[in-house]
């Protein structure tokens, strides 16, 4: 006599049946290790030294360079939609501001320090990151201080860059993020933060694996930071340099980085995954850079795909690779899309 259990005949290969696990939208979402949330997003902002400026950046669709008077009402709307964090970039436009040492980077009356102070007062819940570099402020447009022969003076550069980081932290930035790629900058900044008694309340985010290449073009238009001669190949990583990126990540963790970043993101998903493996005990950030953003817009405009679908697909890939923080020009759109 047969029981109900034995009467079920099983034939075929059970392991071939996957559809049942993801037929439902909720079950589909459970397939991801991490879901995009508003708190993962950092929005990059270009802050001009003309307080009333509001200029569309032609190569960065929908992105503006704004002075402080225009920035505050703009951010008010975003904060009310759930914006949690921004990354500040200063854009000095007044003639005569740039010099060989990037003196204007930590000018107390410059756009970044004034913005940090104002945003901190007006939006106490907003986590303020400040990009730390000299290229927006140097006459030659390089990310450090140069010798007479045009080569990078690493020692002077990290002295100067760590001073700039301290000035931003003192003004009230919650996070300083050096993007210059000089050797030893993380250690130099961390030591000064300790010396100044600010190591406990300043997050140090390292652009640890920052590759050189053609994806920063729209940013350099926006910030006016293209080098006047040469390129950034002696300090930014070569695109094929996976091992070098791993060494840079380990080095920056050992020098005291609290967060490590990979940049660009979409073309370097293997590096994000390496960063997560090497840095499993700290958060990994990825910067979907200006060229990636512009490319997605261009593709959508050409009818290749729907903009929103691609914004999600590209960002979810970044999360899948291992990042839990995404620096994204799509942040304002995501605040709307993630609310519905
Ligand atoms: C400055 C800096 C750059 C970016 C972030 N910080 C440009 C560069 O290194 O040339 C790129 C960001 C983007 O393209 O969106 N050091
Ligand atoms: Zn730079």
């Amino acid at each position: 006599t047969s029981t109900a259990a034995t009467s079920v005949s099983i034939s075929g290969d059970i392991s071939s049946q996957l559809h049942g696990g993801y037929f439902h939208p909720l079950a589909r979402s459970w397939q991801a290790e991490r879901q995009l949330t508003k708190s993962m997003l950092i929005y990059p902002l270009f802050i001009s030294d003309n307080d009333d400026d509001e200029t569309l950046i032609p190569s960065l669709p929908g992105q503006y360079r704004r002075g402080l008077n225009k920035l505050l009402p703009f951010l008010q709307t975003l904060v009310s939609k759930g914006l949690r964090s921004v990354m500040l970039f200063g854009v000095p436009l007044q003639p005569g501001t740039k010099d060989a040492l990037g003196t204007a980077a930590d000018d107390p009356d410059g756009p970044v320090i004034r913005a940090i102070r104002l945003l901190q007062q007006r939006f106490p819940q907003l986590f303020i990151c400040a990009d730390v570099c000299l290229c927006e402020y140097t006459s030659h447009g390089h990310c450090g201080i140069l010798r007479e022969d045009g080569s990078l003076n690493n020692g002077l550069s990290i002295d100067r860059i760590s001073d700039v980081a301290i000035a931003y932290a003192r003004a009230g930035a919650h996070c300083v993020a050096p993007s210059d790629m000089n050797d030893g900058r993380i250690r130099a900044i961390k030591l000064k933060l300790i010396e100044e008694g600010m190591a406990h309340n300043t997050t140090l985010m390292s652009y640890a694996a920052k590759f050189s290449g053609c994806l920063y073009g729209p940013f350099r238009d926006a910030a006016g930071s293209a080098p006047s001669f040469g390129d950034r190949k002696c300090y930014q990583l070569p695109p094929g340099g996976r091992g070098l990126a791993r060494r840079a990540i380990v080095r920056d963790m050992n020098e005291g980085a609290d967060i490590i970043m990979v940049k660009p993101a979409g073309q370097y998903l293997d590096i994000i995954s390496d960063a997560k493996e090497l840095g499993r005990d700290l958060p990994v950030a990825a910067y979907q850079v200006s060229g990636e953003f512009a490319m997605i817009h261009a593709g959508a405009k050409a009818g290749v795909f729907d903009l929103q679908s691609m914004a999600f697909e590209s960002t979810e890939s970044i999360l899948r690779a291992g990042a839990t923080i995404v620096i994204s020009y799509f942040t304002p759109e995501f605040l709307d899309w993630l609310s519905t």
Side-chain angles (χ1 to χ4, degrees):
T1 66
S2 64
T3 65
T6 56
S7 70
V8 178
S9 88
I10 295 167
S11 62
D13 177 8
I14 300 170
S15 69
S16 69
Q17 302 301 302
L18 300 181
H19 290 178
Y22 60 94
F23 73 93
H24 189 279
L26 185 61
R28 288 175 71 79
S29 77
W30 288 339
Q31 305 303 322
E33 276 181 56
R34 42 192 94 79
Q35 301 284 327
L36 180 62
T37 61
K38 294 179 182 182
S39 63
M40 291 174 167
L41 296 165
I42 302 179
Y43 186 39
L45 294 171
F46 298 98
I47 304 165
S48 120
D49 58 357
N50 167 1
D51 288 352
D52 293 314
D53 191 11
E54 185 161 41
T55 310
L56 185 67
I57 302 157
S59 53
L60 263 183
Q63 308 300 308
Y64 289 77
R65 211 159 44 210
R66 289 188 173 86
L68 288 178
N69 294 340
K70 297 286 160 59
L71 189 64
L72 292 177
F74 171 68
L75 280 183
Q76 183 65 61
T77 310
L78 295 183
V79 168
S80 70
K81 290 181 187 178
L83 177 70
R84 301 298 308 279
S85 183
V86 292
M87 173 80 82
L88 308 182
F89 296 94
V91 189
L93 297 170
Q94 275 158 41
T97 317
K98 303 193 183 199
D99 62 22
L101 303 177
T103 306
D106 50 359
D107 176 357
D109 299 319
V112 171
I113 290 188
R114 287 182 57 222
I116 293 169
R117 294 216 170 92
L118 256 168
L119 296 189
Q120 196 211 30
Q121 277 169 17
R122 287 284 291 270
F123 308 110
Q125 308 301 325
L126 190 67
F127 188 86
I128 303 168
C129 307
D131 180 271
V132 179
C133 200
L134 299 182
C135 56
E136 294 103 323
Y137 307 96
T138 49
S139 38
H140 44 70
H142 280 284
C143 304
I145 294 174
L146 306 181
R147 296 194 191 84
E148 300 249 310
D149 66 1
S151 63
L152 195 69
N153 186 326
N154 195 86
L156 286 183
S157 297
I158 63 174
D159 271 357
R160 172 85 190 104
I161 279 159
S162 49
D163 282 345
V164 174
I166 293 299
Y168 294 168
R170 204 179 275 140
H174 302 96
C175 170
V176 289
S179 64
D180 57 287
M181 294 298 283
N182 285 287
D183 281 334
R185 71 216 193 280
I186 300 302
R187 181 169 184 275
I189 294 172
K190 198 69 165 192
L191 287 175
K192 276 189 194 168
L193 285 172
I194 294 169
E195 209 174 282
E196 300 285 323
M198 291 187 298
H200 68 289
N201 60 0
T202 310
T203 300
L204 178 47
M205 174 168 7
S206 171
Y207 284 71
K210 173 170 173 176
F211 289 85
S212 72
C214 55
L215 286 167
Y216 308 141
F219 175 95
R220 292 176 191 172
D221 285 349
S225 64
S228 62
F229 67 90
D231 53 43
R232 302 205 202 290
K233 286 181 182 154
C234 69
Y235 41 100
Q236 299 183 356
L237 307 178
R242 185 171 182 176
L244 193 54
R246 292 175 64 94
R247 290 168 61 203
I249 289 164
V250 170
R251 191 257 324 254
D252 286 3
M253 289 192 310
N254 291 335
E255 288 188 12
D258 299 301
I259 299 174
I260 49 179
M261 190 209 295
V262 175
K263 170 190 167 190
Q267 284 69 15
Y268 294 89
L269 296 175
D270 56 331
I271 310 295
I272 296 175
S273 150
D274 282 358
K276 190 63 214 160
E277 175 219 319
L278 297 165
R280 52 188 291 178
D281 298 325
L282 72 172
V284 172
Y287 196 148
Q288 185 180 63
V289 299
S290 57
E292 299 179 73
F293 176 77
M295 213 161 39
I296 292 171
H297 268 273
K301 205 173 165 195
V304 180
F305 41 66
D306 169 63
L307 184 73
Q308 179 177 345
S309 305
M310 191 44 152
F312 270 102
E313 203 170 313
S314 61
T315 308
E316 282 164 351
S317 306
I318 293 165
L319 301 188
R320 189 191 64 235
T324 49
I325 302 169
V326 187
I327 301 146
S328 172
Y329 297 98
F330 282 116
T331 298
E333 280 74 26
F334 277 132
L335 296 178
D336 288 330
W337 294 334
L338 291 169
S339 289
T340 56

